[in-house]
Amino acid sequence: DQGLADPSLRMSYITLLTKPTPAQQKAIAKLLADQQNPRSASYHKWLTPEQYADRFGLSPNDVKKITDWLQSEGFTVVKTARGRNWIVFSGTAAQVERSFQTQIHNFEANGESHFANTVPPVIPAALSGVVIGFRGFNNFHAQSQTHRAKPDYTFPVSGGTAHFIAPGDIATMYDLYSLYTQGIDGTGQRLAVIGQTDVYLDDLADFRSGFGLNWDNNCSTNGTGVITNTNCDTQYFKYVLISGDADPGTPNSFGDDLPEADIDIEWSGATARNAKIIYVNAPDPLGNGIYDSMYDAIDNNRAPVMTMSYSFPCELAEAEFGLYTADELEFQKANLHGIT
């Protein structure tokens, strides 16, 4: 613990998470069951984000009350979920400490600098029945689960030949050719990859072209080759940037984020060869990282399939601040949209 953070520290992407009423939660459970029941009239009738908002989100009046209160405390409201079940706002450490009766400290952990609240936030009484928790009071990010392969398998060795796995090997190992011959190769499908780092365009392009996979892009890059434009959207790839104050430009340094993003984008496209891979990126080091990406992909119903290869390093904090419950509610929302 390095003591109190600078009062002017910009906390650029704080998410206020809400919960449905008991009646709404009961209705959610019933609809989830009905959507999977072939005998139900609701079978596979997925909700749009706006339909979810009208049935299970906050009322527009409740959203206004919360946003009005946040603004009265000096915060800037960044956006409200289409499903009206969370609100993103930004402010300074001093504002957070005053409004939520907590303290923001600097920390050194495993050689990295972070900030975090040292006292659980206090929610105003008027919001106690609605708010379930917050993200963004700390920047301890979720961690990649990337593992290095054994030498001699995918890495070159001195005096020997490197052995690599190619998409055709995966297709053989998992008997995918039987699907490909039936035309089941991802055509017409979308898959969202959840990430928290900027990526190099050449990494993706070289992989696709090197293995003879279909590829087209209209992505622009900066001087180091990092994708920078948010209108990058073609038949096989789309780039979505979720950001507070950060601009794309440098792959972040949290664990193995860059190889994790490359692996997930490249190999999902190598397996579902003609699917559209949508990379949802939240690179802001002061935001919630992977969770911003995940919540955005669900709230905007970006794809019927979503993949995320991360885990949270501090399970106690997740449980203490009610975030497991919030995530469970968000995954229920995803299922109601038809997202796997």
Side-chain angles (χ1 to χ4, degrees), residues 276-298:
K276 182 169 189 170
I277 308 304
I278 302 171
Y279 181 54
V280 186
N281 176 27
D284 187 347
L286 301 184
N288 307 294
I290 208 75
Y291 292 100
D292 294 340
S293 301
M294 179 184 76
Y295 274 55
D296 172 90
I298 294 171

mmCIF file with all atom_site columns, all heavy atoms in Angstrom, residues 276-298:
data_model
loop_
_atom_site.group_PDB
_atom_site.id
_atom_site.type_symbol
_atom_site.label_atom_id
_atom_site.label_alt_id
_atom_site.label_comp_id
_atom_site.label_asym_id
_atom_site.label_entity_id
_atom_site.label_seq_id
_atom_site.pdbx_PDB_ins_code
_atom_site.Cartn_x
_atom_site.Cartn_y
_atom_site.Cartn_z
_atom_site.occupancy
_atom_site.B_iso_or_equiv
_atom_site.pdbx_formal_charge
_atom_site.auth_seq_id
_atom_site.auth_comp_id
_atom_site.auth_asym_id
_atom_site.auth_atom_id
_atom_site.pdbx_PDB_model_num
ATOM 1   N N   . LYS A 1 276 ? -17.450 -14.314 -39.392 1.00 0.00 ? 276 LYS A N   1
ATOM 2   C CA  . LYS A 1 276 ? -16.985 -12.950 -39.143 1.00 0.00 ? 276 LYS A CA  1
ATOM 3   C C   . LYS A 1 276 ? -16.514 -12.877 -37.693 1.00 0.00 ? 276 LYS A C   1
ATOM 4   O O   . LYS A 1 276 ? -17.300 -13.107 -36.762 1.00 0.00 ? 276 LYS A O   1
ATOM 5   C CB  . LYS A 1 276 ? -18.107 -11.941 -39.380 1.00 0.00 ? 276 LYS A CB  1
ATOM 6   C CG  . LYS A 1 276 ? -17.679 -10.493 -39.177 1.00 0.00 ? 276 LYS A CG  1
ATOM 7   C CD  . LYS A 1 276 ? -18.757 -9.557  -39.697 1.00 0.00 ? 276 LYS A CD  1
ATOM 8   C CE  . LYS A 1 276 ? -18.281 -8.121  -39.706 1.00 0.00 ? 276 LYS A CE  1
ATOM 9   N NZ  . LYS A 1 276 ? -19.224 -7.245  -40.429 1.00 0.00 ? 276 LYS A NZ  1
ATOM 10  N N   . ILE A 1 277 ? -15.234 -12.576 -37.473 1.00 0.00 ? 277 ILE A N   1
ATOM 11  C CA  . ILE A 1 277 ? -14.667 -12.479 -36.141 1.00 0.00 ? 277 ILE A CA  1
ATOM 12  C C   . ILE A 1 277 ? -14.710 -11.010 -35.711 1.00 0.00 ? 277 ILE A C   1
ATOM 13  O O   . ILE A 1 277 ? -14.147 -10.141 -36.390 1.00 0.00 ? 277 ILE A O   1
ATOM 14  C CB  . ILE A 1 277 ? -13.220 -12.999 -36.098 1.00 0.00 ? 277 ILE A CB  1
ATOM 15  C CG1 . ILE A 1 277 ? -13.145 -14.408 -36.701 1.00 0.00 ? 277 ILE A CG1 1
ATOM 16  C CG2 . ILE A 1 277 ? -12.700 -12.983 -34.666 1.00 0.00 ? 277 ILE A CG2 1
ATOM 17  C CD1 . ILE A 1 277 ? -14.057 -15.437 -36.052 1.00 0.00 ? 277 ILE A CD1 1
ATOM 18  N N   . ILE A 1 278 ? -15.383 -10.755 -34.606 1.00 0.00 ? 278 ILE A N   1
ATOM 19  C CA  . ILE A 1 278 ? -15.539 -9.388  -34.096 1.00 0.00 ? 278 ILE A CA  1
ATOM 20  C C   . ILE A 1 278 ? -14.688 -9.246  -32.847 1.00 0.00 ? 278 ILE A C   1
ATOM 21  O O   . ILE A 1 278 ? -14.966 -9.880  -31.822 1.00 0.00 ? 278 ILE A O   1
ATOM 22  C CB  . ILE A 1 278 ? -17.022 -9.087  -33.780 1.00 0.00 ? 278 ILE A CB  1
ATOM 23  C CG1 . ILE A 1 278 ? -17.887 -9.287  -35.033 1.00 0.00 ? 278 ILE A CG1 1
ATOM 24  C CG2 . ILE A 1 278 ? -17.176 -7.671  -33.238 1.00 0.00 ? 278 ILE A CG2 1
ATOM 25  C CD1 . ILE A 1 278 ? -19.376 -9.220  -34.773 1.00 0.00 ? 278 ILE A CD1 1
ATOM 26  N N   . TYR A 1 279 ? -13.637 -8.449  -32.944 1.00 0.00 ? 279 TYR A N   1
ATOM 27  C CA  . TYR A 1 279 ? -12.757 -8.245  -31.790 1.00 0.00 ? 279 TYR A CA  1
ATOM 28  C C   . TYR A 1 279 ? -13.236 -7.031  -31.006 1.00 0.00 ? 279 TYR A C   1
ATOM 29  O O   . TYR A 1 279 ? -13.222 -5.902  -31.499 1.00 0.00 ? 279 TYR A O   1
ATOM 30  C CB  . TYR A 1 279 ? -11.311 -8.051  -32.236 1.00 0.00 ? 279 TYR A CB  1
ATOM 31  C CG  . TYR A 1 279 ? -10.358 -7.850  -31.076 1.00 0.00 ? 279 TYR A CG  1
ATOM 32  C CD1 . TYR A 1 279 ? -10.305 -8.770  -30.030 1.00 0.00 ? 279 TYR A CD1 1
ATOM 33  C CD2 . TYR A 1 279 ? -9.519  -6.741  -31.018 1.00 0.00 ? 279 TYR A CD2 1
ATOM 34  C CE1 . TYR A 1 279 ? -9.439  -8.591  -28.957 1.00 0.00 ? 279 TYR A CE1 1
ATOM 35  C CE2 . TYR A 1 279 ? -8.642  -6.561  -29.955 1.00 0.00 ? 279 TYR A CE2 1
ATOM 36  C CZ  . TYR A 1 279 ? -8.616  -7.492  -28.928 1.00 0.00 ? 279 TYR A CZ  1
ATOM 37  O OH  . TYR A 1 279 ? -7.768  -7.315  -27.859 1.00 0.00 ? 279 TYR A OH  1
ATOM 38  N N   . VAL A 1 280 ? -13.681 -7.263  -29.767 1.00 0.00 ? 280 VAL A N   1
ATOM 39  C CA  . VAL A 1 280 ? -14.187 -6.198  -28.898 1.00 0.00 ? 280 VAL A CA  1
ATOM 40  C C   . VAL A 1 280 ? -13.084 -5.872  -27.891 1.00 0.00 ? 280 VAL A C   1
ATOM 41  O O   . VAL A 1 280 ? -12.723 -6.702  -27.057 1.00 0.00 ? 280 VAL A O   1
ATOM 42  C CB  . VAL A 1 280 ? -15.480 -6.631  -28.182 1.00 0.00 ? 280 VAL A CB  1
ATOM 43  C CG1 . VAL A 1 280 ? -16.068 -5.468  -27.403 1.00 0.00 ? 280 VAL A CG1 1
ATOM 44  C CG2 . VAL A 1 280 ? -16.501 -7.162  -29.189 1.00 0.00 ? 280 VAL A CG2 1
ATOM 45  N N   . ASN A 1 281 ? -12.556 -4.667  -27.968 1.00 0.00 ? 281 ASN A N   1
ATOM 46  C CA  . ASN A 1 281 ? -11.323 -4.312  -27.264 1.00 0.00 ? 281 ASN A CA  1
ATOM 47  C C   . ASN A 1 281 ? -11.556 -3.176  -26.267 1.00 0.00 ? 281 ASN A C   1
ATOM 48  O O   . ASN A 1 281 ? -12.097 -2.129  -26.624 1.00 0.00 ? 281 ASN A O   1
ATOM 49  C CB  . ASN A 1 281 ? -10.268 -3.881  -28.297 1.00 0.00 ? 281 ASN A CB  1
ATOM 50  C CG  . ASN A 1 281 ? -8.978  -3.398  -27.662 1.00 0.00 ? 281 ASN A CG  1
ATOM 51  O OD1 . ASN A 1 281 ? -8.632  -3.800  -26.561 1.00 0.00 ? 281 ASN A OD1 1
ATOM 52  N ND2 . ASN A 1 281 ? -8.262  -2.531  -28.375 1.00 0.00 ? 281 ASN A ND2 1
ATOM 53  N N   . ALA A 1 282 ? -11.151 -3.393  -25.005 1.00 0.00 ? 282 ALA A N   1
ATOM 54  C CA  . ALA A 1 282 ? -11.207 -2.351  -23.981 1.00 0.00 ? 282 ALA A CA  1
ATOM 55  C C   . ALA A 1 282 ? -9.801  -2.135  -23.436 1.00 0.00 ? 282 ALA A C   1
ATOM 56  O O   . ALA A 1 282 ? -9.430  -2.702  -22.408 1.00 0.00 ? 282 ALA A O   1
ATOM 57  C CB  . ALA A 1 282 ? -12.158 -2.736  -22.864 1.00 0.00 ? 282 ALA A CB  1
ATOM 58  N N   . PRO A 1 283 ? -8.976  -1.315  -24.107 1.00 0.00 ? 283 PRO A N   1
ATOM 59  C CA  . PRO A 1 283 ? -7.562  -1.193  -23.733 1.00 0.00 ? 283 PRO A CA  1
ATOM 60  C C   . PRO A 1 283 ? -7.277  -0.186  -22.638 1.00 0.00 ? 283 PRO A C   1
ATOM 61  O O   . PRO A 1 283 ? -6.142  -0.054  -22.208 1.00 0.00 ? 283 PRO A O   1
ATOM 62  C CB  . PRO A 1 283 ? -6.912  -0.741  -25.037 1.00 0.00 ? 283 PRO A CB  1
ATOM 63  C CG  . PRO A 1 283 ? -7.974  0.118   -25.665 1.00 0.00 ? 283 PRO A CG  1
ATOM 64  C CD  . PRO A 1 283 ? -9.295  -0.543  -25.313 1.00 0.00 ? 283 PRO A CD  1
ATOM 65  N N   . ASP A 1 284 ? -8.282  0.560   -22.192 1.00 0.00 ? 284 ASP A N   1
ATOM 66  C CA  . ASP A 1 284 ? -8.046  1.643   -21.243 1.00 0.00 ? 284 ASP A CA  1
ATOM 67  C C   . ASP A 1 284 ? -7.497  1.094   -19.931 1.00 0.00 ? 284 ASP A C   1
ATOM 68  O O   . ASP A 1 284 ? -8.179  0.349   -19.224 1.00 0.00 ? 284 ASP A O   1
ATOM 69  C CB  . ASP A 1 284 ? -9.363  2.383   -20.979 1.00 0.00 ? 284 ASP A CB  1
ATOM 70  C CG  . ASP A 1 284 ? -9.181  3.629   -20.141 1.00 0.00 ? 284 ASP A CG  1
ATOM 71  O OD1 . ASP A 1 284 ? -8.088  3.792   -19.564 1.00 0.00 ? 284 ASP A OD1 1
ATOM 72  O OD2 . ASP A 1 284 ? -10.119 4.431   -20.065 1.00 0.00 ? 284 ASP A OD2 1
ATOM 73  N N   . PRO A 1 285 ? -6.254  1.444   -19.545 1.00 0.00 ? 285 PRO A N   1
ATOM 74  C CA  . PRO A 1 285 ? -5.672  0.904   -18.305 1.00 0.00 ? 285 PRO A CA  1
ATOM 75  C C   . PRO A 1 285 ? -6.377  1.395   -17.050 1.00 0.00 ? 285 PRO A C   1
ATOM 76  O O   . PRO A 1 285 ? -6.192  0.832   -15.976 1.00 0.00 ? 285 PRO A O   1
ATOM 77  C CB  . PRO A 1 285 ? -4.223  1.397   -18.354 1.00 0.00 ? 285 PRO A CB  1
ATOM 78  C CG  . PRO A 1 285 ? -4.262  2.607   -19.221 1.00 0.00 ? 285 PRO A CG  1
ATOM 79  C CD  . PRO A 1 285 ? -5.315  2.333   -20.247 1.00 0.00 ? 285 PRO A CD  1
ATOM 80  N N   . LEU A 1 286 ? -7.211  2.443   -17.165 1.00 0.00 ? 286 LEU A N   1
ATOM 81  C CA  . LEU A 1 286 ? -7.941  2.943   -16.002 1.00 0.00 ? 286 LEU A CA  1
ATOM 82  C C   . LEU A 1 286 ? -9.372  2.434   -15.962 1.00 0.00 ? 286 LEU A C   1
ATOM 83  O O   . LEU A 1 286 ? -10.140 2.783   -15.062 1.00 0.00 ? 286 LEU A O   1
ATOM 84  C CB  . LEU A 1 286 ? -7.942  4.482   -16.004 1.00 0.00 ? 286 LEU A CB  1
ATOM 85  C CG  . LEU A 1 286 ? -6.571  5.147   -15.981 1.00 0.00 ? 286 LEU A CG  1
ATOM 86  C CD1 . LEU A 1 286 ? -6.716  6.656   -15.894 1.00 0.00 ? 286 LEU A CD1 1
ATOM 87  C CD2 . LEU A 1 286 ? -5.735  4.635   -14.815 1.00 0.00 ? 286 LEU A CD2 1
ATOM 88  N N   . GLY A 1 287 ? -9.745  1.607   -16.924 1.00 0.00 ? 287 GLY A N   1
ATOM 89  C CA  . GLY A 1 287 ? -11.090 1.061   -16.952 1.00 0.00 ? 287 GLY A CA  1
ATOM 90  C C   . GLY A 1 287 ? -11.158 -0.330  -16.355 1.00 0.00 ? 287 GLY A C   1
ATOM 91  O O   . GLY A 1 287 ? -10.318 -0.736  -15.550 1.00 0.00 ? 287 GLY A O   1
ATOM 92  N N   . ASN A 1 288 ? -12.164 -1.085  -16.763 1.00 0.00 ? 288 ASN A N   1
ATOM 93  C CA  . ASN A 1 288 ? -12.417 -2.416  -16.215 1.00 0.00 ? 288 ASN A CA  1
ATOM 94  C C   . ASN A 1 288 ? -11.907 -3.524  -17.117 1.00 0.00 ? 288 ASN A C   1
ATOM 95  O O   . ASN A 1 288 ? -12.208 -4.694  -16.893 1.00 0.00 ? 288 ASN A O   1
ATOM 96  C CB  . ASN A 1 288 ? -13.920 -2.606  -15.993 1.00 0.00 ? 288 ASN A CB  1
ATOM 97  C CG  . ASN A 1 288 ? -14.528 -1.491  -15.168 1.00 0.00 ? 288 ASN A CG  1
ATOM 98  O OD1 . ASN A 1 288 ? -14.220 -1.328  -14.000 1.00 0.00 ? 288 ASN A OD1 1
ATOM 99  N ND2 . ASN A 1 288 ? -15.394 -0.712  -15.792 1.00 0.00 ? 288 ASN A ND2 1
ATOM 100 N N   . GLY A 1 289 ? -11.178 -3.145  -18.186 1.00 0.00 ? 289 GLY A N   1
ATOM 101 C CA  . GLY A 1 289 ? -10.577 -4.145  -19.051 1.00 0.00 ? 289 GLY A CA  1
ATOM 102 C C   . GLY A 1 289 ? -11.586 -5.089  -19.675 1.00 0.00 ? 289 GLY A C   1
ATOM 103 O O   . GLY A 1 289 ? -12.557 -4.685  -20.297 1.00 0.00 ? 289 GLY A O   1
ATOM 104 N N   . ILE A 1 290 ? -11.327 -6.373  -19.481 1.00 0.00 ? 290 ILE A N   1
ATOM 105 C CA  . ILE A 1 290 ? -12.073 -7.415  -20.156 1.00 0.00 ? 290 ILE A CA  1
ATOM 106 C C   . ILE A 1 290 ? -13.571 -7.331  -19.882 1.00 0.00 ? 290 ILE A C   1
ATOM 107 O O   . ILE A 1 290 ? -14.396 -7.671  -20.717 1.00 0.00 ? 290 ILE A O   1
ATOM 108 C CB  . ILE A 1 290 ? -11.505 -8.795  -19.752 1.00 0.00 ? 290 ILE A CB  1
ATOM 109 C CG1 . ILE A 1 290 ? -11.734 -9.811  -20.862 1.00 0.00 ? 290 ILE A CG1 1
ATOM 110 C CG2 . ILE A 1 290 ? -12.046 -9.281  -18.438 1.00 0.00 ? 290 ILE A CG2 1
ATOM 111 C CD1 . ILE A 1 290 ? -10.812 -9.634  -22.028 1.00 0.00 ? 290 ILE A CD1 1
ATOM 112 N N   . TYR A 1 291 ? -13.942 -6.845  -18.693 1.00 0.00 ? 291 TYR A N   1
ATOM 113 C CA  . TYR A 1 291 ? -15.362 -6.784  -18.353 1.00 0.00 ? 291 TYR A CA  1
ATOM 114 C C   . TYR A 1 291 ? -16.083 -5.707  -19.159 1.00 0.00 ? 291 TYR A C   1
ATOM 115 O O   . TYR A 1 291 ? -17.251 -5.865  -19.501 1.00 0.00 ? 291 TYR A O   1
ATOM 116 C CB  . TYR A 1 291 ? -15.530 -6.549  -16.855 1.00 0.00 ? 291 TYR A CB  1
ATOM 117 C CG  . TYR A 1 291 ? -15.070 -7.733  -16.040 1.00 0.00 ? 291 TYR A CG  1
ATOM 118 C CD1 . TYR A 1 291 ? -13.828 -7.738  -15.431 1.00 0.00 ? 291 TYR A CD1 1
ATOM 119 C CD2 . TYR A 1 291 ? -15.872 -8.871  -15.918 1.00 0.00 ? 291 TYR A CD2 1
ATOM 120 C CE1 . TYR A 1 291 ? -13.394 -8.837  -14.705 1.00 0.00 ? 291 TYR A CE1 1
ATOM 121 C CE2 . TYR A 1 291 ? -15.449 -9.971  -15.189 1.00 0.00 ? 291 TYR A CE2 1
ATOM 122 C CZ  . TYR A 1 291 ? -14.206 -9.944  -14.589 1.00 0.00 ? 291 TYR A CZ  1
ATOM 123 O OH  . TYR A 1 291 ? -13.779 -11.042 -13.881 1.00 0.00 ? 291 TYR A OH  1
ATOM 124 N N   . ASP A 1 292 ? -15.398 -4.600  -19.466 1.00 0.00 ? 292 ASP A N   1
ATOM 125 C CA  . ASP A 1 292 ? -16.008 -3.597  -20.339 1.00 0.00 ? 292 ASP A CA  1
ATOM 126 C C   . ASP A 1 292 ? -16.320 -4.206  -21.700 1.00 0.00 ? 292 ASP A C   1
ATOM 127 O O   . ASP A 1 292 ? -17.387 -3.963  -22.278 1.00 0.00 ? 292 ASP A O   1
ATOM 128 C CB  . ASP A 1 292 ? -15.060 -2.404  -20.519 1.00 0.00 ? 292 ASP A CB  1
ATOM 129 C CG  . ASP A 1 292 ? -14.833 -1.634  -19.227 1.00 0.00 ? 292 ASP A CG  1
ATOM 130 O OD1 . ASP A 1 292 ? -15.665 -1.762  -18.316 1.00 0.00 ? 292 ASP A OD1 1
ATOM 131 O OD2 . ASP A 1 292 ? -13.816 -0.915  -19.138 1.00 0.00 ? 292 ASP A OD2 1
ATOM 132 N N   . SER A 1 293 ? -15.386 -4.997  -22.220 1.00 0.00 ? 293 SER A N   1
ATOM 133 C CA  . SER A 1 293 ? -15.588 -5.641  -23.522 1.00 0.00 ? 293 SER A CA  1
ATOM 134 C C   . SER A 1 293 ? -16.745 -6.632  -23.460 1.00 0.00 ? 293 SER A C   1
ATOM 135 O O   . SER A 1 293 ? -17.602 -6.664  -24.342 1.00 0.00 ? 293 SER A O   1
ATOM 136 C CB  . SER A 1 293 ? -14.316 -6.373  -23.958 1.00 0.00 ? 293 SER A CB  1
ATOM 137 O OG  . SER A 1 293 ? -13.234 -5.491  -24.061 1.00 0.00 ? 293 SER A OG  1
ATOM 138 N N   . MET A 1 294 ? -16.733 -7.459  -22.412 1.00 0.00 ? 294 MET A N   1
ATOM 139 C CA  . MET A 1 294 ? -17.772 -8.484  -22.282 1.00 0.00 ? 294 MET A CA  1
ATOM 140 C C   . MET A 1 294 ? -19.162 -7.860  -22.167 1.00 0.00 ? 294 MET A C   1
ATOM 141 O O   . MET A 1 294 ? -20.099 -8.276  -22.853 1.00 0.00 ? 294 MET A O   1
ATOM 142 C CB  . MET A 1 294 ? -17.488 -9.336  -21.049 1.00 0.00 ? 294 MET A CB  1
ATOM 143 C CG  . MET A 1 294 ? -18.509 -10.431 -20.794 1.00 0.00 ? 294 MET A CG  1
ATOM 144 S SD  . MET A 1 294 ? -18.179 -11.320 -19.258 1.00 0.00 ? 294 MET A SD  1
ATOM 145 C CE  . MET A 1 294 ? -18.754 -10.142 -18.037 1.00 0.00 ? 294 MET A CE  1
ATOM 146 N N   . TYR A 1 295 ? -19.280 -6.848  -21.317 1.00 0.00 ? 295 TYR A N   1
ATOM 147 C CA  . TYR A 1 295 ? -20.584 -6.218  -21.120 1.00 0.00 ? 295 TYR A CA  1
ATOM 148 C C   . TYR A 1 295 ? -21.048 -5.522  -22.400 1.00 0.00 ? 295 TYR A C   1
ATOM 149 O O   . TYR A 1 295 ? -22.240 -5.526  -22.721 1.00 0.00 ? 295 TYR A O   1
ATOM 150 C CB  . TYR A 1 295 ? -20.520 -5.235  -19.954 1.00 0.00 ? 295 TYR A CB  1
ATOM 151 C CG  . TYR A 1 295 ? -20.755 -5.879  -18.598 1.00 0.00 ? 295 TYR A CG  1
ATOM 152 C CD1 . TYR A 1 295 ? -19.999 -6.963  -18.165 1.00 0.00 ? 295 TYR A CD1 1
ATOM 153 C CD2 . TYR A 1 295 ? -21.742 -5.413  -17.737 1.00 0.00 ? 295 TYR A CD2 1
ATOM 154 C CE1 . TYR A 1 295 ? -20.207 -7.557  -16.935 1.00 0.00 ? 295 TYR A CE1 1
ATOM 155 C CE2 . TYR A 1 295 ? -21.967 -6.003  -16.496 1.00 0.00 ? 295 TYR A CE2 1
ATOM 156 C CZ  . TYR A 1 295 ? -21.196 -7.075  -16.102 1.00 0.00 ? 295 TYR A CZ  1
ATOM 157 O OH  . TYR A 1 295 ? -21.409 -7.663  -14.880 1.00 0.00 ? 295 TYR A OH  1
ATOM 158 N N   . ASP A 1 296 ? -20.124 -4.918  -23.132 1.00 0.00 ? 296 ASP A N   1
ATOM 159 C CA  . ASP A 1 296 ? -20.491 -4.279  -24.396 1.00 0.00 ? 296 ASP A CA  1
ATOM 160 C C   . ASP A 1 296 ? -20.978 -5.306  -25.419 1.00 0.00 ? 296 ASP A C   1
ATOM 161 O O   . ASP A 1 296 ? -21.987 -5.081  -26.096 1.00 0.00 ? 296 ASP A O   1
ATOM 162 C CB  . ASP A 1 296 ? -19.293 -3.522  -24.974 1.00 0.00 ? 296 ASP A CB  1
ATOM 163 C CG  . ASP A 1 296 ? -19.567 -3.004  -26.375 1.00 0.00 ? 296 ASP A CG  1
ATOM 164 O OD1 . ASP A 1 296 ? -20.061 -1.875  -26.504 1.00 0.00 ? 296 ASP A OD1 1
ATOM 165 O OD2 . ASP A 1 296 ? -19.305 -3.739  -27.352 1.00 0.00 ? 296 ASP A OD2 1
ATOM 166 N N   . ALA A 1 297 ? -20.264 -6.424  -25.542 1.00 0.00 ? 297 ALA A N   1
ATOM 167 C CA  . ALA A 1 297 ? -20.642 -7.439  -26.525 1.00 0.00 ? 297 ALA A CA  1
ATOM 168 C C   . ALA A 1 297 ? -22.031 -7.982  -26.238 1.00 0.00 ? 297 ALA A C   1
ATOM 169 O O   . ALA A 1 297 ? -22.817 -8.251  -27.156 1.00 0.00 ? 297 ALA A O   1
ATOM 170 C CB  . ALA A 1 297 ? -19.620 -8.573  -26.533 1.00 0.00 ? 297 ALA A CB  1
ATOM 171 N N   . ILE A 1 298 ? -22.360 -8.133  -24.945 1.00 0.00 ? 298 ILE A N   1
ATOM 172 C CA  . ILE A 1 298 ? -23.682 -8.632  -24.577 1.00 0.00 ? 298 ILE A CA  1
ATOM 173 C C   . ILE A 1 298 ? -24.738 -7.552  -24.789 1.00 0.00 ? 298 ILE A C   1
ATOM 174 O O   . ILE A 1 298 ? -25.782 -7.794  -25.410 1.00 0.00 ? 298 ILE A O   1
ATOM 175 C CB  . ILE A 1 298 ? -23.685 -9.106  -23.113 1.00 0.00 ? 298 ILE A CB  1
ATOM 176 C CG1 . ILE A 1 298 ? -22.784 -10.332 -22.955 1.00 0.00 ? 298 ILE A CG1 1
ATOM 177 C CG2 . ILE A 1 298 ? -25.100 -9.421  -22.648 1.00 0.00 ? 298 ILE A CG2 1
ATOM 178 C CD1 . ILE A 1 298 ? -22.545 -10.744 -21.515 1.00 0.00 ? 298 ILE A CD1 1
#
